[in-house]
Amino acid sequence: MFADRTRWNLAPNRLSEALAKHRAAGKPIIDLTASNPTECGFEYDREAILKALCNPAALVYEPNPKGLGVARQAVASYYAGHGAQVSAEDMVLTTSTSEAYSFVFRTLCNPGDEILVPTPSYPLFSFLAEIQDVKLVSYPLIYDHGWQIDFHSLEQAITPRTRGTIVVHPNNPTGNFCKPGEMARLNEVCAAREMALIADEVFLDFSLAGERQASFAANTAALTFTMNGLSKICGLPQMKAAWLVVSGPKPIKKEALARLEVIADTYLSMNAPVQLAIPTFLEMRHRFQKQLMARVRGNLAELDRQLARQQSCTRLEVEGGWYTVLRVPAMRSDEDLAVDLLVRRDVYVHPGHFYDFPSNGYLVVSLITGELEFKDGMGRVLSNLWP
Ligand SMILES: Cc1ncc(COP(=O)(O)O)c(C=O)c1O
């Protein structure tokens, strides 16, 4: 009865099984995978958020495939703050960056066409691609005094069916930004082969160095789709608002926008109250980002203090984002280690293979976990690394 594309192996893995059992038994859990900002103890201006959702203009239905002008203008101002000139006409609002991915895949790919994707990276990509009948082909990031794109492998991975490449800026979970030299090389590769650049910038504003990082949103050398949304930059994933900016050589950009507009018009998935609140939500992001970066920096400093007291574990360099990668003894699989940490020490971490790390010996932890929990949890992890 069902389509091949939905023939997933839905059996829980050993870690999710152990987690369900742990929870069912009512045991405590220190969650070092926390990624939901609304549950991490940050202060939000509750009244202002709720008031922004009560705009009387929401009583009128104004179907606009690209999204309401007032919201798109606010997004354009966000990019102006990043030094990128973006027109409100060159974007489409979506309910999430995940939806933005599906619009882009639909615009670019016939069934079976290929999109390049960095490894290690965010595990949802494989589902987003499969649902759209797109084949993901990995290109590796290599770690050598920080992470960088392995361009030789990226170019080797290109076939006549490759329609574009994803770049996550900064990447989840490795936390590396795409450097100016890498941006230039990606442009060369894509422009020469009529491939699109798909830039996921959901963590763009979270740079540990504190400096503003360049966005792909005004990139013109190749057709570029840049995505971001309220989920991360405002810490409001529940508002379901994101966007897709199109840039590139003029004729191809125009064609891409016209096609995207038809897809967006077919769904008209944005709701009015949230669109009208986007300008207010974006204004509020600074307060959220300040708290979040203080948390990330505090946890990273605590981690470094604990790492300095032992020799079994190190952390990889991180430039931005909400996560860090631990290099741990590869005496057993990452999954065995994660299950053991949960069962014996009540700590939940992600094994590296969730993110397609090429070998065992990696754990991923969130840096937005509350400070006390993080300190306690990391202490337990570091004292439990050997079998
Ligand atoms: C790299 C990356 N892209 C996209 C998303 C999803 O964002 P959204 O909530 O807008 O779909 C996430 C969420 O964690 C992410 O890590």
Side-chain angles (χ1 to χ4, degrees):
M1 273 183 81
F2 300 110
D4 288 348
R5 78 172 78 80
T6 60
R7 197 184 295 138
W8 293 296
N9 176 6
L10 296 175
N13 59 46
R14 283 197 311 118
L15 182 58
S16 45
E17 219 163 40
L19 186 64
K21 226 164 120 182
H22 207 87
R23 287 200 170 118
K27 293 186 185 163
I29 295 179
I30 297 182
D31 187 359
L32 293 186
T33 71
S35 64
N36 178 353
T38 63
E39 291 187 336
C40 287
F42 298 117
E43 268 180 41
Y44 291 88
D45 189 339
R46 298 160 59 98
E47 264 175 46
I49 290 173
L50 295 174
K51 193 168 158 225
L53 292 169
C54 291
N55 189 327
L59 295 172
V60 176
Y61 182 39
E62 192 190 317
N64 185 332
K66 287 182 175 173
L68 294 180
V70 59
R72 285 184 286 118
Q73 281 298 346
V75 175
S77 305
Y78 164 81
Y79 284 108
H82 277 270
Q85 281 308 112
V86 169
S87 160
E89 290 311 311
D90 294 344
M91 73 180 78
V92 174
L93 302 186
T94 59
T95 55
S96 61
T97 46
S98 302
E99 189 178 61
Y101 273 109
S102 72
F103 285 14
V104 172
F105 291 164
R106 276 306 194 202
T107 304
L108 293 174
C109 299
N110 288 318
D113 279 349
E114 297 167 6
I115 295 283
L116 302 182
V117 62
T119 311
S121 201
Y122 177 55
L124 199 67
F125 290 143
S126 56
F127 288 92
L128 290 171
E130 267 172 35
I131 292 170
Q132 311 300 329
D133 301 326
V134 167
K135 184 174 166 205
L136 289 185
V137 177
S138 291
Y139 68 88
L141 301 177
I142 41 181
Y143 188 76
D144 181 17
H145 302 288
W147 291 95
Q148 46 194 288
I149 297 174
D150 176 351
F151 274 97
H152 176 71
S153 300
L154 183 146
E155 291 189 57
Q156 296 279 307
I158 296 171
T159 75
R161 299 208 69 172
T162 312
R163 301 267 74 92
T165 182
I166 293 174
V167 56
V168 187
H169 178 52
N171 191 38
N172 171 8
T174 55
N176 55 301
F177 284 96
C178 186
K179 311 296 176 303
E182 291 180 314
M183 286 183 171
R185 188 119 184 241
L186 282 170
N187 271 327
E188 274 169 33
V189 170
C190 288
R193 294 175 177 79
E194 296 201 322
M195 284 163 47
L197 258 171
I198 303 161
D200 178 333
E201 297 188 338
V202 298
F203 293 108
L204 182 70
D205 292 353
F206 304 98
S207 161
L208 276 160
E211 67 215 26
R212 201 177 59 185
Q213 298 285 331
S215 166
F216 278 89
N219 189 48
T220 52
L223 177 64
T224 306
F225 300 94
T226 303
M227 326 173 185
N228 207 336
L230 301 189
S231 222
K232 303 288 187 285
I233 62 177
C234 301
L236 294 171
Q238 74 277 34
M239 296 304 169
K240 307 308 294 177
W243 54 84
L244 180 55
V245 174
V246 185
S247 59
K250 270 201 182 119
I252 189 98
K253 174 179 103 173
K254 194 168 160 218
E255 179 72 29
L257 272 163
R259 289 171 185 241
L260 270 172
E261 195 168 332
V262 175
I263 295 178
D265 197 20
T266 306
Y267 292 103
L268 288 170
S269 51
M270 296 298 292
N271 71 72
V274 166
Q275 290 188 80
L276 292 166
I278 284 176
T280 308
F281 292 161
L282 280 176
E283 266 168 37
M284 292 165 128
R285 74 184 186 278
H286 304 288
R287 181 173 177 218
F288 167 72
Q289 292 182 3
K290 215 167 143 193
Q291 295 177 67
L292 189 128
M293 287 314 293
R295 175 77 57 82
V296 165
R297 288 200 172 93
N299 282 341
L300 212 44
E302 172 59 29
L303 175 61
D304 288 343
R305 273 192 293 277
Q306 295 197 21
L307 290 176
R309 294 199 289 264
Q310 53 81 65
Q311 285 175 344
S312 310
C313 176
T314 53
R315 75 165 169 88
L316 304 191
E317 273 181 39
V318 54
E319 297 166 353
W322 298 6
Y323 305 94
T324 192
V325 180
L326 303 177
R327 190 83 176 91
V328 294
M331 305 295 290
R332 48 187 158 167
S333 77
D334 295 352
E335 188 171 41
D336 281 345
L337 174 56
V339 170
D340 191 55
L341 284 167
L342 180 65
V343 172
R344 296 207 297 135
R345 304 309 309 267
D346 301 323
V347 186
Y348 181 39
V349 297
H350 274 154
H353 85 258
F354 272 23
Y355 301 86
D356 259 349
F357 274 78
S359 65
N360 280 313
Y362 298 96
L363 295 180
V364 174
V365 296
S366 164
L367 294 168
I368 69 165
T369 308
E371 285 97 342
L372 293 176
E373 260 195 298
F374 185 84
K375 183 176 179 182
D376 185 4
M378 276 316 309
R380 294 177 192 217
V381 170
L382 294 179
S383 61
N384 201 74
L385 289 176
W386 299 94

